[in-house]
Amino acid sequence: NDVIDGACVDLRHRDHQIIQGIMVAADNGLDRLGDAAGGEPEKLARLGAAYSKMAVKGKASMEELNIFLEAGVPLIGALAQHFGIAESAVFAFSQQGRIAFTDVDAAIKDLTTGSGLLAGQMAAMADTASGKWSTLKDNFVLGAQQMGMGMLPPIKVAIDDILADLDQALEQAAS
């Protein structure tokens, strides 16, 4: 039981850390991650997960940095510029545990604000034909969900009436 209790405490602690990381990501600007992802939802999900993981740990590993690289985000170059070192030295910094989450956050901010390479990418994507189509689909789905939620009370009443009628029919059949 002590082992199970300990495992439960560990899981709750880990879940709490993950939630804190997600909250940090939200507080520090999902819009910047959206720009880094070029407005692409799948990339944003991957980047958000890596960003949250770094926020929870307080530092970056090559695993998380590679997620950004695979998504086309030139984070190694931005970190090199942030530290004032060559890009090749960033890999050594990562292996030595010298890249803090705050360094990654600053590098992403440099890339996605002002005249940064990825600044405004989410808005640019939203302004394309496919971006507008995506917005239209999203708005349609949200509208349908809201209308559906409005229909739940009368549907529930109708179901309750049908169940009451069935109960009454079963009682009559049994007697």
Side-chain angles (χ1 to χ4, degrees):
N1 270 350
D2 289 341
V3 172
I4 293 172
D5 289 342
C8 288
V9 168
D10 287 346
L11 285 173
R12 283 193 300 268
H13 178 69
R14 189 200 66 200
D15 289 347
H16 180 71
Q17 286 180 320
I18 291 169
I19 291 167
Q20 281 182 318
I22 292 167
M23 290 171 59
V24 167
D27 288 345
N28 286 333
L30 280 175
D31 56 332
R32 289 189 303 209
L33 290 178
D35 282 342
E40 295 181 33
E42 295 81 19
K43 279 187 185 180
L44 178 58
R46 290 193 318 264
L47 297 180
Y51 185 89
S52 296
K53 190 174 180 182
M54 289 184 285
V56 168
K57 293 189 316 182
K59 62 182 178 178
S61 70
M62 278 312 300
E63 177 186 351
E64 292 96 21
L65 296 179
N66 279 332
I67 291 170
F68 278 84
L69 293 176
E70 290 164 2
V73 178
L75 191 54
I76 299 298
L79 284 166
Q81 187 173 1
H82 173 75
F83 287 118
I85 59 175
E87 286 187 22
S88 58
V90 172
F91 298 101
F93 267 42
S94 172
Q95 290 174 339
Q96 296 164 0
R98 294 174 58 186
I99 302 176
F101 167 72
T102 55
D103 297 318
V104 173
D105 192 48
I108 291 171
K109 186 175 183 179
D110 289 344
L111 284 169
T112 59
T113 59
S115 60
L117 181 64
L118 303 175
Q121 290 298 303
M122 194 163 50
M125 175 58 178
D127 200 36
T128 65
S130 63
K132 290 179 184 293
W133 178 252
S134 176
T135 300
L136 177 65
K137 288 190 310 185
D138 291 345
N139 288 343
F140 180 78
V141 168
L142 289 172
Q145 287 173 342
Q146 288 174 351
M147 288 189 317
M149 293 303 282
M151 293 299 295
L152 283 179
I155 290 171
K156 185 177 182 254
V157 169
I159 291 171
D160 287 343
D161 289 346
I162 291 169
L163 290 173
D165 289 345
L166 282 173
D167 283 343
Q168 186 178 17
L170 289 172
E171 284 177 15
Q172 287 177 355
S175 49

